[in-house]
Amino acid sequence: MPRNPAPWELATHICSAWTQSMLLAQEAQMVIAYRTLGAAGLWPVAASENSRMVSEKAPAFNASAMAAWMAAMTGKRPDEIMTAAIRPLRKETSRNAKRLSGRR
C-alpha cells in the first residue's frame, strides 16, 4: 500500500496536476487558433488537417480514459488520476501545437 505523502508533498503534487491541466488548456487553444487560421487561409496547414482534427480525438480520449481508470483501479490519489488522464491528451496537444506552428 502506498504511503501517505506529507502535506507539503501533497501540495506539490496537486500544483503539478494543476500546471499540467493549464498547459493542456494552453496547447489546445493554440491548436484551435492555428486550425482556425488555417481554415480561413491565413496560416499554412495540410489539406488533411480537417479530417485529422476529427480522427485524432477518439484515440486520445480513449487513452486518457483508460489511463485514468487504471490509476483509479490501482488506488492512486485524485491528483495522480488527474495527471494520468491528462498525460495522453498533452502528448497530442503538444505534438499538434509544435507541428502546426511550423517548429520541428
Side-chain angles (χ1 to χ4, degrees):
M1 183 155 169
R3 68 174 180 85
N4 289 331
W8 64 270
E9 284 180 306
L10 186 56
T12 302
H13 294 305
I14 291 170
C15 286
S16 176
W18 179 83
T19 301
Q20 292 301 313
S21 68
M22 292 300 103
L23 289 170
L24 174 66
Q26 178 186 18
E27 290 166 347
Q29 288 300 311
M30 288 172 56
V31 170
I32 290 167
Y34 286 133
R35 286 177 169 163
T36 301
L37 290 171
L42 301 172
W43 191 262
V45 295
S48 62
E49 195 61 40
N50 289 339
S51 63
R52 183 179 188 148
M53 74 176 151
V54 173
S55 65
E56 71 188 6
K57 302 274 187 290
F61 282 110
N62 185 43
S64 174
M66 290 303 296
W69 184 81
M70 289 299 293
M73 291 299 110
T74 57
K76 303 289 185 188
R77 295 184 317 268
D79 61 296
E80 293 172 316
I81 296 168
M82 181 176 163
T83 300
I86 290 171
R87 191 172 295 120
L89 299 175
R90 281 233 36 235
K91 180 180 173 186
E92 291 298 320
T93 57
S94 65
R95 187 174 67 204
N96 282 337
K98 287 176 186 171
R99 179 179 50 78
L100 290 167
S101 68
R103 295 190 316 238
R104 298 275 184 235

